[in-house]
Amino acid sequence: MLDRPERLRDYPHALNARGGFMKVVILCGGFGTRIRDVADDIPKPMIPIGNLPIVWHIMKSYSAAGHKDFVLCLGYKSHAVKQFFLNYDIHGGDFTIALGAEKQITHHGEVRHDDWSVTLAETGLNAMTGARIRRIRKYLGDDENFLLTYGDGVSDVDLDALLEFHKSHGKILTVTGVHPPGRFGEIEHANGQVQGFNEKSQTTSGMISGGYFVCRREIFDYLDDREDLVFEVGPVRALVAAGEMMVYEHHGFWQCMDTYRDWSLLRDLWDSGKAPWKSWE
């Protein structure tokens, strides 16, 4: 695996070209209907854990591993995501604003500085996950691989180990398999080779899809621009049938935010200072 000394972590774009740090695609466009009892006026990725949205926590985890180039696939209430990043420096801090023709903002205390590149891509209000991924292809350039995840789940997955595993097998898609309750996409596998992928079924083996994918660019051969293209159904099952999908087993923390109870758990972990996904200072 590529050696990544700390001084190189500040140069993700240079490393992308050499197959090191990768762009991170985050699906942020869904309606999030199952968690409307937490917040109805913002999209799910913007629901706060602490005083910052869950998508920020996800991005901080990737950034801590050196991956600082993000593409966010937007849809429902996309303006809320755009406003957050357009006003990124003012969140969580005090400032004085002088109004008038020459408006000026003076920050007080520490100002948050994350050296990220964030592409905010409108991928359609009603588009399903497969269509959203297909529509951001132009933002990946010639990169051979990219990272893909959902904007509503956090984990302490070892991203370096995940990438090493992905590069070792040469298949098109790697999915991170986790072991929470059985209401998500079950993975059937043998010796790492995925043999079945059943979206939101009752589990039999106990391992389900936790997202945190790594994709080769050949993934786009399995995608088209149909609004109703669900990545986890047609494309993923075609990859399974072709023997082009592998599972990386993660036995640590993973938690999605689908319900009020999920949100309460994540909020309490963060507020108590015991958030397992916090890999940054």
Side-chain angles (χ1 to χ4, degrees), residues 153-173:
V154 288
S155 177
D156 61 356
V157 61
D158 185 334
L159 292 169
D160 285 344
L162 170 62
L163 289 178
E164 185 174 25
F165 174 77
H166 175 74
K167 293 178 180 180
S168 72
H169 61 64
K171 304 292 186 179
I172 293 175
L173 181 64

Side-chain angles (χ1 to χ4, degrees), residues 45-67:
M46 295 305 297
I47 292 176
I49 304 298
N51 64 347
L52 288 161
I54 189 170
V55 72
W56 176 87
H57 292 258
I58 296 166
M59 295 167 76
K60 286 293 285 187
S61 295
Y62 278 102
S63 176
H67 308 285

Side-chain angles (χ1 to χ4, degrees), residues 101-117:
E102 298 182 3
K103 182 172 66 176
Q104 293 184 338
I105 296 177
T106 302
H107 293 276
H108 305 292
E110 183 180 356
V111 179
R112 182 177 297 108
H113 292 295
D114 288 305
D115 54 341
W116 301 345
S117 170

